Amino acid sequence: MFADRARIIIKSGRGGDGHVSFRREKYVPNGGPDGGDGGKGGDVIFEVDPGVNTLADYRHRRKFAATPGEEGKKKNCHGKNGEDIILKVPEGTVVYDAESKKVICDLSGDTKRVVVLEGGRGGLGNQHFATSKMQAPKYAKPGGDAIEIEVILELKVIADVGLVGFPNVGKSTFLSRVTNANPKIANYHFTTLNPNLGVVDLDSSNSFVIADIPGLIEGASEGVGLGYEFLRHIERTKVIVHIIDGASVEGRDPIEDINAINKEMQQYDENLLSKPQVIVANKMDVCPEKEEEILEKIKNNINLDKVNVLGMSAVSGKGVKEVLWHIKSLLDSCDNEIITYEKEFDPMDLVDKEEPFTIEIDKEGRFVVEGPKIEKMLSYTNLESEKGFLFFQKFIKEQKIDERLEEMGIEEGDTVKMYGLLFEYYK
């Protein structure tokens, strides 16, 4: 089954923690710190694969995660970086943030590969925190957190021309006659369940891509029927070819059909009606003597400016070449840039928006205080000197850590833990 939409969870790899260790060699009894850095976590990457044309791989698997980085090791050994996960998608795939519905990236045109989530940075080993006054730091930097978000993948087919119209008006027959596509053709509504694509070669220097958008019905823009699922594929097309049953073989009124389909497109996205459009009355071989009369009636009864109405027979081929050259003239009036969707949301903005510090009570009843500013301060402060310890106390007050501890019920004599260092709390 054709799949053009999927909802998945993606997760980058957590960074490996820095390591705490000291040289322990036979003739170096008091060796310095030699804890290695943690490895970087793996990235989540979306990449266009020319051999893939659906999102079927994401229909039955929900979660995709890169691997975490390894912890640093002794002897200044760096932890192994996590492996990236590369998600292959067809060209034309748009990735949305599931919560905000904003565009993260559009894999179209020149954009073939996007790093959507970066892995957490590796933590620094304790060797980085050694100073002349603190030669044996007993703490290391933890690795950066992984990021997990839910995204929506939506395939918007890239084609120059989109064929629209009610079911069974002859779109598939037209496509099979003018391109190398082989759509299923039968006398049933919704025979076409996939957006079929084909290339039209008018001559050695003139060609374009046509997409047969599955038959629409009234109410499609509100989710009725199958048509709504494929309206998104019209968004990228430059020219819309609206095929109708000009001979009313099934008793349908072609003018009512034109108005109904245009209404559905307008309700889905009003910008669709601003695209160049041509009305093609098909099946005119059934009543050739009335062709001019039918075309004139359609022209006089549709509320569309600058839209030509042409007749043809997709079965016999009469009028088909004229239709194709008219489509080519409309394409020539359009710019050649592929319609792409601008980035509206960057998941990496979610990083580093944590509180300046956090306080948790561990199972031993100790108040564990952590935060990037605290970690940085400890890396350059010598707590063994009187001056350094006074600076530490001033920092605690300035950051209002002591106020938060008291709000959490700390009492004199309780233990506070900060990155491996233990303190008794006194007011």
Side-chain angles (χ1 to χ4, degrees):
M1 181 178 177
F2 182 83
D4 68 345
R5 204 166 191 269
R7 194 179 184 106
I8 62 172
I9 295 169
I10 56 175
K11 183 179 181 181
S12 62
R14 184 183 185 280
D17 294 336
H19 191 68
V20 176
S21 62
F22 300 89
R23 291 177 63 191
R24 291 291 181 267
E25 299 174 26
K26 187 173 182 180
Y27 298 107
V28 190
N30 297 311
D34 68 351
D37 299 344
K40 176 185 175 297
D43 299 336
V44 178
I45 301 169
F46 282 88
E47 185 175 272
V48 172
D49 185 342
V52 176
N53 55 20
T54 78
L55 297 171
D57 291 345
Y58 305 100
R59 287 179 65 88
H60 305 295
R61 181 180 168 190
R62 277 276 291 156
K63 191 167 184 176
F64 298 82
T67 59
E70 289 185 353
E71 182 183 353
K73 297 176 175 58
K74 296 179 180 180
K75 300 182 180 180
N76 299 327
C77 289
H78 196 289
K80 183 180 178 182
N81 290 340
E83 291 186 12
D84 300 336
I85 183 169
I86 300 175
L87 304 179
K88 304 283 189 177
V89 295
E91 185 174 8
T93 299
V94 182
V95 182
Y96 297 89
D97 172 53
E99 183 176 349
S100 66
K101 303 298 187 293
K102 291 182 177 179
V103 175
I104 296 175
C105 65
D106 181 356
L107 290 136
S108 306
D110 296 331
T111 306
K112 306 295 184 185
R113 180 183 172 97
V114 178
V115 178
V116 172
L117 295 181
E118 294 178 13
R121 43 110 182 100
L124 300 176
N126 68 332
Q127 58 169 312
H128 293 279
F129 302 103
T131 65
S132 59
K133 295 181 179 179
M134 185 184 290
Q135 299 180 11
K138 295 180 181 179
Y139 50 85
K141 192 170 185 178
D145 290 335
I147 307 172
E148 180 175 300
I149 62 170
E150 187 174 27
V151 297
I152 296 171
L153 309 182
E154 194 169 85
L155 175 59
K156 298 177 186 285
V157 166
I158 298 175
D160 300 306
V161 179
L163 301 182
V164 300
F166 273 86
N168 210 29
V169 295
K171 299 194 309 299
S172 296
T173 304
F174 174 69
L175 188 72
S176 64
R177 172 171 283 277
V178 302
T179 73
N180 55 356
N182 295 302
K184 293 179 180 178
I185 301 170
N187 189 28
Y188 299 105
H189 293 319
F190 289 119
T191 301
T192 305
L193 297 180
N194 303 348
N196 291 302
L197 285 106
V199 178
V200 175
D201 289 311
L202 290 174
D203 54 39
S204 59
S205 60
N206 289 291
S207 65
F208 52 86
V209 178
I210 289 185
D212 174 13
I213 310 302
L216 304 180
I217 61 173
E218 290 179 81
S221 60
E222 299 170 359
V224 177
L226 298 177
Y228 174 78
E229 293 300 318
F230 301 101
L231 272 165
R232 65 178 65 95
H233 296 302
I234 312 174
E235 294 179 50
R236 290 197 200 269
T237 60
K238 299 172 184 175
V239 172
I240 294 174
V241 176
H242 191 156
I243 296 183
I244 58 175
D245 179 359
S248 301
V249 173
E250 294 193 351
R252 301 191 62 89
D253 184 331
I255 296 171
E256 289 182 4
D257 285 358
I258 292 169
N259 293 333
I261 293 297
N262 281 328
K263 180 182 177 182
E264 295 306 321
M265 290 195 295
Q266 184 179 31
Q267 289 181 341
Y268 178 77
D269 182 353
E270 60 183 15
N271 293 321
L272 293 180
L273 290 189
S274 65
K275 295 177 182 288
Q277 183 178 159
V278 57
I279 306 293
V280 179
N282 189 29
K283 305 185 182 181
M284 298 311 298
D285 54 320
V286 175
C287 50
E289 71 285 350
K290 293 185 178 181
E291 180 172 346
E292 291 302 323
E293 180 186 339
I294 291 172
L295 297 182
E296 192 64 29
K297 182 180 178 182
I298 294 171
K299 288 178 186 177
N300 296 331
N301 287 278
I302 57 173
N303 298 318
L304 296 171
D305 296 329
K306 299 179 182 178
V307 174
N308 281 351
V309 180
L310 304 177
M312 74 166 188
S313 169
V315 173
S316 70
K318 182 178 180 296
V320 169
K321 188 166 288 188
E322 289 78 4
V323 169
L324 294 178
W325 280 107
H326 180 68
I327 293 171
K328 183 64 173 63
S329 69
L330 292 177
L331 286 172
D332 290 341
S333 66
C334 304
D335 62 55
N336 293 321
E337 290 187 12
I338 294 174
I339 298 170
T340 57
Y341 296 83
E342 295 297 324
K343 183 174 185 176
E344 300 173 326
F345 176 79
D346 187 348
M348 297 311 298
D349 289 342
L350 301 173
V351 181
D352 295 330
K353 290 192 174 179
E354 56 201 45
E355 295 180 34
F357 63 86
T358 60
I359 302 177
E360 296 179 355
I361 302 175
D362 65 15
K363 60 184 179 181
E364 297 176 23
R366 299 177 300 192
F367 291 78
V368 181
V369 183
E370 293 184 343
K373 285 187 177 180
I374 299 170
E375 187 178 22
K376 186 176 181 180
M377 178 273 297
L378 289 173
S379 71
Y380 57 71
T381 305
N382 180 14
L383 298 180
E384 295 177 3
S385 71
E386 182 179 356
K387 186 177 179 180
F389 196 76
L390 288 173
F391 173 80
F392 168 74
Q393 288 181 314
K394 182 181 178 182
F395 176 88
I396 296 297
K397 287 187 178 295
E398 286 178 345
Q399 298 297 316
K400 298 184 178 180
I401 296 173
D402 55 341
E403 292 182 13
R404 179 70 181 129
L405 286 167
E406 289 177 12
E407 288 175 5
M408 294 182 66
I410 197 168
E411 296 180 357
E412 289 197 5
D414 286 345
T415 301
V416 177
K417 182 180 179 181
M418 295 185 182
Y419 293 99
L421 301 175
L422 301 178
F423 308 91
E424 282 190 33
Y425 183 79
Y426 292 100
K427 292 184 180 179

